[in-house]
Amino acid sequence: MNTLRRTLRQTLTVARRDFIATVLTPTFLIFLLAPMLFASFGALGSIGARAVGESGEDRERLYAIAGPADAARFLAADHAARDFLSQEALPPALEVVTPESDPAAQARRLLAEDDRDVPAVLYGSPERPHILHANPMSRMSKYLAMLAEQVARDHRSGVDGPASQPQFEQIARATGTIGGKNAAAGAAVIALFAVTLILASQAVGTMAEERSNKVIEVLAAAVPLEAVFLGKLIGMFGVAILFVLFWGTLIGNVGALLPGDAAAALTGLAPAVGLPVFTLLFAIYFAAAFLLLGAVFLGIGAQASTPREIQMLSLPLTLFQMGMFALSLAAAGKPGSWIATIAEGFPFSSPFAMAARAANRPELWPHLLAIGWQVLWVALTITLGARLFRRGVLQSAGPKFRLAKLLGR
């Protein structure tokens, strides 16, 4: 019992040392705010791209060559059609012009305007419209054909205004929509992957730095290597929890600052198991994913002693995680499929896929099995990582890293 207590105390000492050494530094503030910097750069790029796109849209026009009798019907049909389209799918503004003596030549002249982009021009009667278009992939010619069809129907029936007066009533759903559940599942996979990869990958660089300045050898001389490994893993996990709590609190309060439409859209991201249970499961799966990946990174990182070796080791691990991310994302989009079953059973993709399942499906008993399965693999991974850690630290003064050394040959 005394040995166990001493080992536990040494482990917690190493964990406290690593946690304080990481958190109480100016660089940690930069690391903590790094997602905000990335989001700012993305927002600036999005604003610039939108400004360029909007400036191009302002120079686009659709033309309909029609007489005074049909001009009002064309504009009314265009106005009614735009009410059913999203902002992203809106066609360019429609302009109705009076026909000249040669409407065909007039249409070709309008299509070739230099100061505007004209996807399509319509001329002729609504019953037999003639539509000119330059881009065969553009849908604007079909849009003009739809307007002509509506104008012809209105002209035949003698209707000059709306034929109906709808009344809209919004009813709150008791459960989330399928689209909202799938969106929540995809968001859970992306968030879990991003946070886990960003935080756990720090172990490789930290190990190489401590090996280069001989700190790891001092620790190895003072406490058992297993206590050093577990202490570092717990310390990293404490930093990860601080990071997640900071950003979780920040994102959780952003909803109050969003406009009504955006806040209403976020309420559609309703997980199937309910938000409180989903939050608990997400925290458990985050811990499992972090400990799995952190143990691997820490064990493999102990084999590297130079930045070049760090790059050689980090690249295949990152590619492997990208594969697990792609597998889990595919499972999130196809719940109950064979690919979802594979992703939920494979140890290194199971936390991500099960977080997506919590958003997609309401059953809770599969999560109990998955948590037990992941706990088993966390124990195995930590055991293997500790052995790789011991091998790397004990041979830190020996020859440089070789693949045969990692494989134990």
Side-chain angles (χ1 to χ4, degrees), residues 180-309:
K181 293 176 183 177
N182 288 340
V189 172
I190 294 172
L192 193 59
F193 169 78
V195 174
T196 302
L197 187 62
I198 290 173
L199 295 172
S201 59
Q202 285 189 313
V204 179
T206 302
M207 280 303 309
E209 179 183 354
E210 293 194 348
R211 287 190 61 178
S212 63
N213 57 25
K214 306 301 181 182
V215 171
I216 193 65
E217 296 177 5
V218 175
L219 289 175
V223 297
L225 286 175
E226 287 76 10
V228 176
F229 176 83
L230 290 176
K232 285 186 168 298
L233 192 59
I234 294 173
M236 288 167 44
F237 187 56
V239 174
I241 291 176
L242 180 63
F243 184 92
V244 171
L245 288 177
F246 174 80
W247 279 104
T249 304
L250 190 64
I251 294 174
N253 290 279
V254 165
L257 305 177
L258 292 176
D261 294 342
L266 288 179
T267 58
L269 301 178
V273 297
L275 188 58
V277 177
F278 178 78
T279 303
L280 176 61
L281 290 175
F282 186 87
I284 294 174
Y285 291 136
F286 167 72
F290 183 88
L291 292 176
L292 279 170
L293 189 59
V296 172
F297 272 117
L298 198 57
I300 300 297
Q303 316 303 313
S305 57
T306 64
R308 180 180 179 84
E309 293 176 358

Side-chain angles (χ1 to χ4, degrees), residues 47-408:
I47 292 173
R50 180 175 296 180
V52 172
E54 289 178 352
S55 64
E57 292 174 358
D58 292 339
R59 294 193 295 268
E60 287 187 333
R61 283 293 185 277
L62 289 175
Y63 285 107
I65 302 175
D70 293 325
R73 287 193 175 99
F74 266 107
L75 292 176
D78 175 65
H79 179 74
R82 291 173 186 271
D83 290 340
F84 291 96
L85 298 175
S86 63
Q87 187 67 31
E88 294 78 12
L90 285 178
L94 175 68
E95 188 171 330
V96 182
V97 297
T98 304
E100 299 176 354
S101 58
D102 189 355
Q106 181 186 7
R108 286 178 171 81
R109 190 168 60 252
L110 290 173
L111 190 67
E113 281 189 344
D114 292 332
D115 56 341
R116 287 178 177 175
D117 290 331
V118 182
V121 179
L122 178 147
Y123 71 96
S125 65
E127 291 77 10
R128 297 182 64 85
H130 197 111
I131 301 172
L132 304 181
H133 61 97
N135 185 358
M137 304 301 293
S138 175
R139 296 177 297 173
M140 297 302 103
S141 57
K142 295 181 180 180
Y143 178 74
L144 287 179
M146 181 193 71
L147 295 184
E149 172 70 17
Q150 185 62 40
V151 170
R153 289 177 179 271
D154 292 344
H155 181 73
R156 180 175 299 178
S157 62
V159 175
D160 291 328
S164 65
Q165 296 181 351
Q167 296 181 354
F168 299 96
E169 181 181 0
Q170 183 180 0
I171 302 297
R173 290 176 58 98
T175 59
T177 63
I178 295 177
K181 293 176 183 177
N182 288 340
V189 172
I190 294 172
L192 193 59
F193 169 78
V195 174
T196 302
L197 187 62
I198 290 173
L199 295 172
S201 59
Q202 285 189 313
V204 179
T206 302
M207 280 303 309
E209 179 183 354
E210 293 194 348
R211 287 190 61 178
S212 63
N213 57 25
K214 306 301 181 182
V215 171
I216 193 65
E217 296 177 5
V218 175
L219 289 175
V223 297
L225 286 175
E226 287 76 10
V228 176
F229 176 83
L230 290 176
K232 285 186 168 298
L233 192 59
I234 294 173
M236 288 167 44
F237 187 56
V239 174
I241 291 176
L242 180 63
F243 184 92
V244 171
L245 288 177
F246 174 80
W247 279 104
T249 304
L250 190 64
I251 294 174
N253 290 279
V254 165
L257 305 177
L258 292 176
D261 294 342
L266 288 179
T267 58
L269 301 178
V273 297
L275 188 58
V277 177
F278 178 78
T279 303
L280 176 61
L281 290 175
F282 186 87
I284 294 174
Y285 291 136
F286 167 72
F290 183 88
L291 292 176
L292 279 170
L293 189 59
V296 172
F297 272 117
L298 198 57
I300 300 297
Q303 316 303 313
S305 57
T306 64
R308 180 180 179 84
E309 293 176 358
I310 292 175
Q311 295 175 357
M312 292 174 60
L313 292 170
S314 298
L315 181 60
L317 289 174
T318 303
L319 292 177
F320 176 75
Q321 280 303 112
M322 288 296 295
M324 297 299 98
F325 169 68
L327 179 63
S328 302
L329 206 56
K334 297 181 179 180
S337 63
W338 63 269
I339 194 170
T341 303
I342 293 175
E344 292 165 4
F346 192 72
F348 289 92
S349 63
S350 180
F352 310 106
M354 291 305 298
R357 184 188 178 100
N360 271 325
R361 309 184 70 173
E363 302 89 1
L364 292 179
W365 66 265
H367 296 284
L368 299 178
L369 297 178
I371 290 172
W373 175 247
Q374 290 168 27
V375 167
L376 174 63
W377 275 95
V378 165
L380 292 175
T381 306
I382 290 177
T383 302
L384 178 60
R387 293 182 179 178
L388 289 174
F389 183 85
R390 169 180 285 276
R391 180 185 295 274
V393 171
L394 291 180
Q395 296 181 356
S396 60
K400 292 185 177 180
F401 171 79
R402 293 291 183 270
L403 181 59
K405 182 190 297 184
L406 176 60
L407 297 177

